[in-house]
Amino acid sequence: MRKLLIVGLLLLGTIAFAGKYENELTERMKAVEEKAQVGWDSGVRADMINASLDLDTEWEKEMNKVYDLILKKLPAKEKVKFKVEQQKWIKDRETKVQKAYDKYEAEEGPRMAGELAANDRLSITKDRALQLAKKYDKLNK
């Protein structure tokens, strides 16, 4: 319940200061996040991990959509730079998630490491999707 309240407050704050695409993205993802909350609230480790992984997959899809929209708006020189930036971000994300997993495994053990690392990956992916949505909104001003 506490996670749902926090997510709700974050969404409200995001919507208040967001652009059109970012608002639409946040609205689309509300239902998906509510579905994930059911898994997190179950208390069953597998359900909790799957909820995070499923939600991460959905945020990844949304991130890829807005990435493609941005590419269509950019001039050729900026497209190359943006593609390189995104590839670097993908590598950095995987490095961060692996480091987090290794840290959690050492601190909490292998059972908790998967769940915690999945949550970290979700957070990183969601942040990037929202960052790209803001960028797209700026391009459309």
Side-chain angles (χ1 to χ4, degrees):
M1 183 65 181
R2 196 171 98 212
K3 283 183 184 177
L4 186 58
L5 179 61
I6 291 170
V7 168
L9 290 174
L10 288 173
L11 287 175
L12 286 175
T14 301
I15 289 169
F17 298 103
K20 184 177 189 251
Y21 188 87
E22 186 181 4
N23 284 341
E24 291 169 359
L25 171 60
T26 303
E27 283 299 313
R28 277 194 306 274
M29 292 304 291
K30 274 184 184 178
V32 181
E33 289 183 337
E34 288 171 3
K35 182 180 175 187
Q37 189 64 50
V38 173
W40 294 327
D41 290 344
S42 74
V44 176
R45 181 156 296 156
D47 291 346
M48 295 166 76
I49 293 170
N50 287 334
S52 292
L53 293 174
D54 291 346
L55 185 54
D56 179 67
T57 298
E58 292 304 313
W59 274 109
E60 179 104 15
K61 287 177 188 175
E62 291 294 338
M63 179 186 67
N64 290 332
K65 284 180 194 175
V66 71
Y67 172 82
D68 289 338
L69 290 171
I70 291 170
L71 279 178
K72 290 177 184 174
K73 291 274 187 182
L74 294 175
K77 281 186 177 181
E78 289 183 43
K79 281 182 186 183
V80 172
K81 183 179 174 185
F82 184 60
K83 287 178 181 181
V84 169
E85 174 190 316
Q86 186 68 4
Q87 288 302 313
K88 181 184 180 312
W89 177 85
I90 290 168
K91 288 178 185 176
D92 288 348
R93 176 184 60 180
E94 297 313 313
T95 299
K96 287 176 185 176
V97 171
Q98 186 60 53
K99 284 181 181 179
Y101 180 87
D102 294 344
K103 176 184 161 228
Y104 295 138
E105 187 175 37
E107 292 174 357
E108 306 289 337
R111 287 189 72 193
M112 287 296 293
E115 179 182 337
L116 295 170
N119 286 334
D120 282 8
R121 181 173 165 51
L122 167 59
S123 177
I124 293 167
T125 304
K126 178 179 177 177
D127 288 348
R128 180 63 174 176
L130 292 171
Q131 180 185 38
L132 293 180
K134 287 176 186 168
K135 182 178 182 83
Y136 182 72
D137 283 337
K138 284 182 183 178
L139 288 170
N140 284 319
K141 284 188 178 182

XYZ file of all heavy atoms in Angstrom, residues 49-126:
645
model
N 9.326 -10.268 -8.132
C 10.356 -10.142 -9.167
C 9.698 -10.030 -10.542
O 10.060 -9.162 -11.343
C 11.338 -11.333 -9.132
C 12.160 -11.298 -7.842
C 12.247 -11.335 -10.360
C 12.991 -12.544 -7.592
N 8.724 -10.883 -10.812
C 8.040 -10.846 -12.108
C 7.327 -9.515 -12.325
O 7.298 -8.999 -13.447
C 7.075 -12.014 -12.251
C 7.797 -13.323 -12.460
O 8.922 -13.359 -12.968
N 7.165 -14.414 -12.073
N 6.750 -8.957 -11.273
C 6.077 -7.663 -11.390
C 7.081 -6.595 -11.813
O 6.801 -5.788 -12.708
C 5.409 -7.287 -10.069
N 8.244 -6.593 -11.188
C 9.274 -5.612 -11.550
C 9.774 -5.835 -12.974
O 9.943 -4.876 -13.735
C 10.448 -5.675 -10.572
O 10.061 -5.219 -9.303
N 10.003 -7.090 -13.340
C 10.492 -7.384 -14.691
C 9.454 -7.038 -15.756
O 9.795 -6.463 -16.798
C 10.904 -8.852 -14.801
C 12.120 -9.265 -13.975
C 12.328 -10.777 -14.048
C 13.364 -8.517 -14.412
N 8.195 -7.367 -15.494
C 7.124 -7.051 -16.444
C 6.962 -5.538 -16.608
O 6.803 -5.035 -17.724
C 5.797 -7.665 -16.008
C 5.781 -9.182 -16.098
O 6.694 -9.760 -16.735
O 4.854 -9.798 -15.519
N 7.002 -4.827 -15.491
C 6.874 -3.377 -15.556
C 8.081 -2.769 -16.272
O 7.935 -1.842 -17.071
C 6.717 -2.795 -14.148
C 6.447 -1.298 -14.058
C 5.238 -0.887 -14.893
C 6.241 -0.897 -12.597
N 9.255 -3.305 -16.011
C 10.459 -2.834 -16.706
C 10.310 -3.047 -18.210
O 10.669 -2.179 -19.005
C 11.702 -3.563 -16.181
C 12.958 -3.127 -16.898
O 13.363 -1.958 -16.739
O 13.539 -3.949 -17.637
N 9.771 -4.179 -18.616
C 9.563 -4.464 -20.043
C 8.632 -3.434 -20.663
O 8.888 -2.940 -21.772
C 8.991 -5.886 -20.227
O 9.942 -6.828 -19.721
C 8.679 -6.182 -21.680
N 7.575 -3.084 -19.950
C 6.629 -2.091 -20.470
C 7.265 -0.708 -20.556
O 7.045 0.021 -21.526
C 5.355 -2.060 -19.619
C 4.526 -3.324 -19.724
C 4.136 -3.670 -21.150
O 3.679 -2.771 -21.896
O 4.297 -4.837 -21.550
N 8.049 -0.341 -19.538
C 8.746 0.951 -19.588
C 9.766 0.950 -20.727
O 9.968 1.970 -21.389
C 9.410 1.280 -18.253
C 8.480 1.956 -17.294
C 7.945 1.426 -16.162
C 7.979 3.295 -17.381
N 7.132 2.354 -15.545
C 7.142 3.505 -16.275
C 8.151 4.337 -18.293
C 6.476 4.718 -16.055
C 7.487 5.545 -18.074
C 6.662 5.724 -16.968
N 10.392 -0.179 -20.955
C 11.361 -0.293 -22.059
C 10.657 -0.085 -23.400
O 11.174 0.610 -24.282
C 12.039 -1.660 -22.025
C 13.029 -1.885 -23.131
C 14.468 -1.791 -22.687
O 14.748 -1.835 -21.485
O 15.327 -1.650 -23.563
N 9.487 -0.674 -23.567
C 8.718 -0.482 -24.803
C 8.398 0.993 -25.008
O 8.529 1.527 -26.114
C 7.425 -1.292 -24.765
C 7.603 -2.770 -24.927
C 6.259 -3.480 -24.810
C 6.399 -4.973 -24.772
N 5.097 -5.645 -24.536
N 7.948 1.638 -23.939
C 7.610 3.061 -24.027
C 8.850 3.896 -24.328
O 8.796 4.853 -25.099
C 6.940 3.538 -22.739
C 5.555 2.970 -22.522
C 4.536 3.459 -23.551
O 4.741 4.522 -24.187
O 3.509 2.788 -23.725
N 9.965 3.545 -23.701
C 11.213 4.259 -23.951
C 11.602 4.135 -25.426
O 12.002 5.118 -26.054
C 12.327 3.700 -23.063
C 13.669 4.388 -23.283
S 15.005 3.608 -22.366
C 15.122 2.016 -23.194
N 11.464 2.942 -25.978
C 11.805 2.733 -27.383
C 10.881 3.508 -28.319
O 11.326 4.025 -29.348
C 11.807 1.243 -27.719
C 12.973 0.519 -27.075
O 14.020 1.094 -26.822
N 12.778 -0.753 -26.783
N 9.606 3.613 -27.956
C 8.660 4.392 -28.770
C 9.079 5.855 -28.830
O 9.133 6.456 -29.903
C 7.248 4.301 -28.193
C 6.535 3.015 -28.451
C 5.153 3.061 -27.821
C 4.513 1.707 -27.757
N 3.217 1.747 -27.039
N 9.345 6.424 -27.672
C 9.697 7.846 -27.651
C 11.077 8.063 -28.264
O 11.322 9.079 -28.917
C 9.560 8.457 -26.234
C 10.626 7.974 -25.292
C 9.558 9.982 -26.302
N 11.970 7.118 -28.115
C 13.281 7.186 -28.771
C 13.095 7.306 -30.284
O 13.702 8.161 -30.940
C 14.109 5.946 -28.403
C 15.392 5.810 -29.174
C 16.535 6.507 -28.794
C 15.474 4.959 -30.270
C 17.730 6.376 -29.507
C 16.657 4.824 -30.987
C 17.775 5.533 -30.598
O 18.946 5.397 -31.308
N 12.234 6.467 -30.843
C 11.967 6.507 -32.284
C 11.322 7.829 -32.700
O 11.638 8.375 -33.766
C 11.085 5.333 -32.704
C 11.810 3.992 -32.650
O 13.061 3.987 -32.690
O 11.125 2.961 -32.546
N 10.423 8.341 -31.864
C 9.798 9.632 -32.163
C 10.828 10.755 -32.179
O 10.779 11.644 -33.041
C 8.707 9.944 -31.132
C 7.452 9.083 -31.200
C 6.551 9.342 -29.994
C 6.699 9.335 -32.501
N 11.753 10.715 -31.251
C 12.811 11.731 -31.200
C 13.691 11.630 -32.441
O 14.023 12.655 -33.058
C 13.652 11.589 -29.913
C 12.812 11.967 -28.692
C 14.910 12.458 -29.988
C 13.467 11.634 -27.356
N 14.055 10.421 -32.821
C 14.893 10.246 -34.018
C 14.248 10.871 -35.251
O 14.945 11.457 -36.095
C 15.161 8.763 -34.277
C 16.268 8.112 -33.474
C 16.372 6.636 -33.819
C 17.606 8.801 -33.692
N 12.946 10.761 -35.370
C 12.244 11.327 -36.527
C 12.314 12.851 -36.542
O 12.223 13.465 -37.600
C 10.787 10.866 -36.535
C 10.623 9.399 -36.852
C 9.183 8.975 -36.766
C 9.069 7.474 -36.984
N 7.701 6.987 -36.779
N 12.472 13.457 -35.375
C 12.494 14.912 -35.267
C 13.884 15.512 -35.447
O 14.012 16.691 -35.757
C 11.971 15.349 -33.892
C 10.506 15.120 -33.673
C 9.761 16.291 -34.205
C 8.292 16.202 -33.869
N 7.563 17.322 -34.418
N 14.917 14.726 -35.210
C 16.277 15.261 -35.205
C 16.883 15.359 -36.599
O 16.648 14.489 -37.438
C 17.183 14.385 -34.337
C 16.901 14.351 -32.842
C 17.818 13.342 -32.159
C 17.077 15.732 -32.214
N 17.717 16.389 -36.822
C 18.496 16.449 -38.066
C 19.532 15.322 -38.084
O 19.873 14.766 -37.036
C 19.195 17.809 -38.008
C 18.720 18.504 -36.785
C 17.908 17.541 -35.977
N 20.058 15.012 -39.245
C 20.964 13.862 -39.423
C 22.139 13.866 -38.449
O 22.437 12.838 -37.839
C 21.466 13.816 -40.863
N 22.825 14.994 -38.282
C 23.989 15.049 -37.391
C 23.598 14.744 -35.946
O 24.324 14.055 -35.239
C 24.660 16.429 -37.452
C 25.523 16.632 -38.649
C 26.250 17.955 -38.556
C 27.179 18.148 -39.738
N 27.922 19.409 -39.653
N 22.481 15.267 -35.529
C 22.035 15.044 -34.151
C 21.542 13.614 -33.942
O 21.630 13.084 -32.842
C 20.961 16.057 -33.767
C 21.508 17.460 -33.606
C 20.462 18.444 -33.156
O 19.663 18.114 -32.245
O 20.440 19.555 -33.716
N 21.019 12.987 -34.992
C 20.579 11.593 -34.898
C 21.740 10.689 -34.518
O 21.608 9.823 -33.660
C 19.978 11.111 -36.222
C 18.580 11.537 -36.471
C 18.071 10.960 -37.769
C 16.696 11.530 -38.065
N 16.111 10.965 -39.273
N 22.873 10.879 -35.191
C 24.050 10.058 -34.917
C 24.465 10.221 -33.458
O 24.706 9.236 -32.753
C 25.209 10.418 -35.875
C 26.488 9.711 -35.470
C 24.830 10.083 -37.308
N 24.544 11.448 -33.014
C 24.938 11.738 -31.632
C 23.948 11.119 -30.650
O 24.335 10.514 -29.639
C 25.009 13.247 -31.427
C 25.464 13.669 -30.067
C 25.516 15.188 -29.958
C 25.836 15.611 -28.545
N 25.768 17.064 -28.370
N 22.657 11.229 -30.944
C 21.615 10.695 -30.070
C 21.669 9.167 -30.008
O 21.512 8.574 -28.935
C 20.245 11.185 -30.542
C 19.108 10.779 -29.661
C 19.060 11.150 -28.328
C 18.070 10.020 -30.170
C 18.004 10.776 -27.514
C 17.011 9.644 -29.365
C 16.976 10.015 -28.037
N 21.920 8.525 -31.154
C 22.041 7.063 -31.174
C 23.212 6.596 -30.318
O 23.096 5.621 -29.567
C 22.205 6.558 -32.613
C 20.942 6.619 -33.428
C 21.198 6.136 -34.854
C 19.959 6.216 -35.705
N 20.204 5.731 -37.081
N 24.331 7.302 -30.423
C 25.507 6.968 -29.620
C 25.193 7.148 -28.128
O 25.548 6.309 -27.308
C 26.728 7.826 -30.041
C 27.874 7.699 -29.054
C 27.180 7.432 -31.445
N 24.508 8.228 -27.815
C 24.114 8.499 -26.421
C 23.240 7.369 -25.871
O 23.439 6.907 -24.750
C 23.354 9.823 -26.352
C 22.771 10.154 -25.006
C 21.834 11.361 -25.066
O 22.185 12.359 -25.711
O 20.742 11.288 -24.466
N 22.294 6.907 -26.669
C 21.387 5.846 -26.220
C 22.137 4.524 -26.047
O 21.899 3.798 -25.085
C 20.217 5.679 -27.189
C 19.167 4.699 -26.731
C 18.373 5.150 -25.511
O 18.525 6.248 -24.993
N 17.498 4.283 -25.036
N 23.037 4.220 -26.958
C 23.827 2.992 -26.831
C 24.685 3.022 -25.569
O 24.811 2.017 -24.870
C 24.709 2.780 -28.073
C 23.926 2.384 -29.305
C 23.127 1.109 -29.105
O 23.623 0.115 -28.604
N 21.860 1.146 -29.480
N 25.252 4.178 -25.275
C 26.041 4.336 -24.055
C 25.146 4.153 -22.834
O 25.517 3.483 -21.873
C 26.715 5.706 -24.013
C 27.568 5.925 -22.771
C 28.136 7.329 -22.730
C 28.987 7.591 -21.519
N 28.462 7.203 -20.245
N 23.949 4.721 -22.888
C 23.017 4.587 -21.769
C 22.682 3.108 -21.536
O 22.650 2.644 -20.395
C 21.734 5.389 -22.018
C 20.756 5.201 -20.924
C 20.694 5.882 -19.741
C 19.729 4.205 -20.857
N 19.691 5.378 -18.959
C 19.086 4.349 -19.610
C 19.298 3.214 -21.720
C 18.025 3.534 -19.225
C 18.238 2.405 -21.337
C 17.618 2.561 -20.102
N 22.452 2.359 -22.603
C 22.118 0.931 -22.479
C 23.266 0.173 -21.812
O 23.041 -0.618 -20.894
C 21.788 0.324 -23.865
C 20.441 0.880 -24.368
C 21.753 -1.199 -23.803
C 20.149 0.582 -25.820
N 24.483 0.428 -22.247
C 25.644 -0.234 -21.635
C 25.791 0.163 -20.168
O 26.061 -0.689 -19.310
C 26.918 0.111 -22.401
C 27.013 -0.554 -23.742
C 28.268 -0.141 -24.488
C 28.271 -0.727 -25.888
N 29.424 -0.281 -26.675
N 25.600 1.447 -19.894
C 25.705 1.927 -18.507
C 24.644 1.288 -17.615
O 24.927 0.926 -16.469
C 25.572 3.452 -18.441
C 26.790 4.186 -18.978
O 27.837 3.546 -19.195
O 26.683 5.422 -19.189
N 23.438 1.142 -18.159
C 22.367 0.527 -17.375
C 22.731 -0.905 -17.008
O 22.596 -1.318 -15.854
C 21.042 0.537 -18.150
C 19.930 -0.183 -17.403
C 18.647 -0.278 -18.169
N 18.830 -1.001 -19.422
C 17.859 -1.231 -20.290
N 16.645 -0.784 -20.063
N 18.103 -1.889 -21.407
N 23.206 -1.652 -17.969
C 23.550 -3.043 -17.705
C 24.694 -3.150 -16.693
O 24.675 -4.025 -15.825
C 23.885 -3.778 -19.006
C 22.713 -3.862 -19.969
C 21.404 -4.303 -19.332
O 21.383 -5.289 -18.562
O 20.372 -3.642 -19.585
N 25.655 -2.251 -16.800
C 26.760 -2.233 -15.842
C 26.248 -1.919 -14.438
O 26.619 -2.579 -13.466
C 27.821 -1.197 -16.264
O 28.331 -1.571 -17.550
C 28.961 -1.124 -15.270
N 25.377 -0.919 -14.334
C 24.815 -0.533 -13.031
C 24.010 -1.678 -12.418
O 24.105 -1.935 -11.218
C 23.931 0.702 -13.161
C 24.682 1.977 -13.389
C 23.728 3.140 -13.601
C 24.469 4.415 -13.955
N 23.552 5.519 -14.264
N 23.208 -2.337 -13.237
C 22.374 -3.426 -12.729
C 23.254 -4.593 -12.268
O 23.008 -5.185 -11.211
C 21.341 -3.877 -13.783
C 20.621 -5.146 -13.349
C 20.335 -2.757 -14.041
N 24.291 -4.914 -13.024
C 25.183 -6.006 -12.624
C 25.914 -5.664 -11.333
O 26.038 -6.511 -10.437
C 26.188 -6.329 -13.731
C 27.049 -7.544 -13.419
C 26.236 -8.815 -13.227
O 25.437 -9.184 -14.073
N 26.409 -9.491 -12.094
N 26.390 -4.442 -11.222
C 27.067 -4.019 -9.989
C 26.099 -4.073 -8.805
O 26.474 -4.493 -7.710
C 27.632 -2.610 -10.139
C 28.887 -2.553 -10.961
C 29.425 -1.132 -11.052
C 30.682 -1.093 -11.900
N 31.217 0.272 -12.041
N 24.873 -3.639 -9.041
C 23.868 -3.679 -7.978
C 23.599 -5.120 -7.563
O 23.537 -5.436 -6.367
C 22.576 -3.003 -8.438
N 23.452 -6.005 -8.554
C 23.210 -7.415 -8.252
C 24.354 -7.980 -7.414
O 24.117 -8.648 -6.404
C 23.042 -8.229 -9.541
C 22.785 -9.684 -9.253
C 21.494 -10.145 -9.036
C 23.837 -10.592 -9.160
C 21.256 -11.482 -8.738
C 23.604 -11.927 -8.861
C 22.318 -12.365 -8.653
O 22.089 -13.679 -8.343
N 25.585 -7.714 -7.835
C 26.747 -8.224 -7.103
C 26.770 -7.696 -5.671
O 27.047 -8.447 -4.729
C 28.040 -7.848 -7.820
C 28.182 -8.533 -9.181
O 27.457 -9.520 -9.446
O 29.004 -8.055 -9.991
N 26.465 -6.426 -5.513
C 26.429 -5.812 -4.183
C 25.334 -6.451 -3.329
O 25.568 -6.842 -2.183
C 26.184 -4.314 -4.317
C 26.032 -3.579 -3.006
C 25.691 -2.107 -3.251
C 25.111 -1.529 -1.998
N 23.913 -0.797 -2.170
N 24.141 -6.569 -3.899
C 23.032 -7.168 -3.151
C 23.299 -8.627 -2.814
O 22.927 -9.093 -1.739
C 21.719 -7.052 -3.928
C 21.237 -5.641 -4.144
C 20.716 -5.242 -5.371
C 21.284 -4.688 -3.126
C 20.254 -3.953 -5.584
C 20.837 -3.405 -3.333
C 20.316 -3.036 -4.553
O 19.873 -1.758 -4.751
N 23.915 -9.326 -3.725
C 24.223 -10.737 -3.478
C 25.165 -10.870 -2.283
O 24.976 -11.734 -1.424
C 24.834 -11.379 -4.720
C 25.023 -12.874 -4.578
C 25.527 -13.511 -5.856
O 26.345 -12.889 -6.570
O 25.102 -14.650 -6.118
N 26.171 -9.998 -2.221
C 27.124 -10.030 -1.108
C 26.468 -9.612 0.211
O 26.756 -10.183 1.265
C 28.310 -9.113 -1.408
N 25.564 -8.632 0.146
C 24.941 -8.096 1.362
C 23.720 -8.890 1.819
O 23.509 -9.081 3.015
C 24.523 -6.640 1.136
C 25.676 -5.690 0.968
C 25.218 -4.282 0.610
O 23.999 -4.043 0.441
O 26.092 -3.406 0.492
N 22.889 -9.306 0.864
C 21.587 -9.896 1.194
C 21.468 -11.370 0.820
O 20.496 -12.019 1.189
C 20.466 -9.119 0.476
C 20.468 -7.622 0.712
C 20.045 -7.243 2.110
O 19.341 -8.036 2.773
O 20.423 -6.140 2.547
N 22.383 -11.840 -0.004
C 22.302 -13.217 -0.477
C 21.661 -13.282 -1.847
O 21.010 -12.336 -2.298
N 21.828 -14.406 -2.529
C 21.347 -14.527 -3.909
C 19.827 -14.442 -4.060
O 19.345 -13.987 -5.087
C 21.876 -15.880 -4.362
C 22.265 -16.612 -3.133
C 22.541 -15.596 -2.080
N 19.076 -14.857 -3.057
C 17.611 -14.819 -3.184
C 17.097 -13.389 -3.299
O 16.208 -13.106 -4.084
C 16.946 -15.505 -1.996
C 17.090 -17.016 -2.050
C 16.254 -17.685 -1.021
N 14.848 -17.584 -1.389
C 13.854 -17.853 -0.572
N 14.084 -18.244 0.654
N 12.612 -17.749 -0.969
N 17.649 -12.500 -2.503
C 17.198 -11.107 -2.528
C 17.836 -10.321 -3.664
O 17.270 -9.330 -4.133
C 17.526 -10.421 -1.199
C 16.656 -10.845 -0.050
S 14.914 -10.417 -0.282
C 14.979 -8.646 -0.228
N 19.011 -10.741 -4.116
C 19.746 -9.979 -5.128
C 18.931 -9.803 -6.413
O 18.907 -8.713 -6.983
C 21.081 -10.650 -5.424
N 18.261 -10.851 -6.853
C 17.461 -10.768 -8.080
C 16.337 -9.761 -7.968
O 16.118 -8.956 -8.869
N 15.633 -9.801 -6.852
C 14.519 -8.881 -6.639
C 15.002 -7.437 -6.578
O 14.442 -6.546 -7.221
C 13.805 -9.243 -5.339
C 12.647 -8.357 -5.006
C 12.010 -8.730 -3.686
O 12.148 -9.878 -3.234
O 11.374 -7.850 -3.107
N 16.034 -7.191 -5.822
C 16.539 -5.832 -5.651
C 17.146 -5.292 -6.948
O 16.929 -4.123 -7.304
C 17.557 -5.789 -4.512
C 16.982 -6.110 -3.119
C 18.105 -6.281 -2.102
C 15.993 -5.050 -2.679
N 17.882 -6.128 -7.661
C 18.472 -5.697 -8.929
C 17.376 -5.438 -9.975
O 17.487 -4.499 -10.774
C 19.466 -6.731 -9.441
N 16.318 -6.237 -9.959
C 15.196 -6.010 -10.883
C 14.545 -4.665 -10.602
O 14.176 -3.930 -11.531
C 14.168 -7.138 -10.761
N 14.413 -4.322 -9.346
C 13.847 -3.019 -8.985
C 14.755 -1.882 -9.436
O 14.270 -0.839 -9.886
C 13.596 -2.933 -7.476
C 12.403 -3.749 -7.052
O 11.494 -3.998 -7.834
N 12.402 -4.179 -5.808
N 16.058 -2.066 -9.305
C 16.999 -1.038 -9.770
C 16.890 -0.846 -11.280
O 16.869 0.283 -11.774
C 18.437 -1.417 -9.401
C 18.779 -1.164 -7.947
O 17.870 -0.825 -7.156
O 19.966 -1.306 -7.592
N 16.829 -1.954 -12.009
C 16.715 -1.868 -13.473
C 15.434 -1.143 -13.854
O 15.440 -0.291 -14.753
C 16.755 -3.261 -14.084
C 16.674 -3.277 -15.615
C 16.883 -4.691 -16.132
N 16.538 -5.021 -17.456
C 16.864 -4.417 -18.585
N 17.538 -3.333 -18.562
N 16.497 -4.874 -19.758
N 14.347 -1.469 -13.194
C 13.072 -0.805 -13.444
C 13.197 0.699 -13.241
O 12.767 1.492 -14.078
C 11.991 -1.382 -12.523
C 10.683 -0.600 -12.424
C 10.016 -0.467 -13.770
C 9.765 -1.270 -11.417
N 13.781 1.095 -12.152
C 13.926 2.519 -11.843
C 14.772 3.239 -12.895
O 14.413 4.333 -13.352
C 14.563 2.668 -10.463
O 14.775 4.021 -10.157
N 15.846 2.620 -13.315
C 16.735 3.218 -14.315
C 16.011 3.359 -15.651
O 16.088 4.401 -16.316
C 18.021 2.372 -14.468
C 18.851 2.430 -13.177
C 18.839 2.831 -15.667
C 19.965 1.385 -13.106
N 15.292 2.330 -16.052
C 14.571 2.344 -17.330
C 13.451 3.373 -17.310
O 13.277 4.141 -18.264
C 14.010 0.943 -17.649
O 15.088 0.005 -17.646
C 13.315 0.916 -18.998
N 12.696 3.407 -16.236
C 11.598 4.373 -16.112
C 12.139 5.797 -16.173
O 11.583 6.642 -16.882
C 10.848 4.138 -14.798
C 9.721 5.118 -14.574
C 8.990 4.832 -13.272
C 7.908 5.864 -13.012
N 7.153 5.565 -11.789
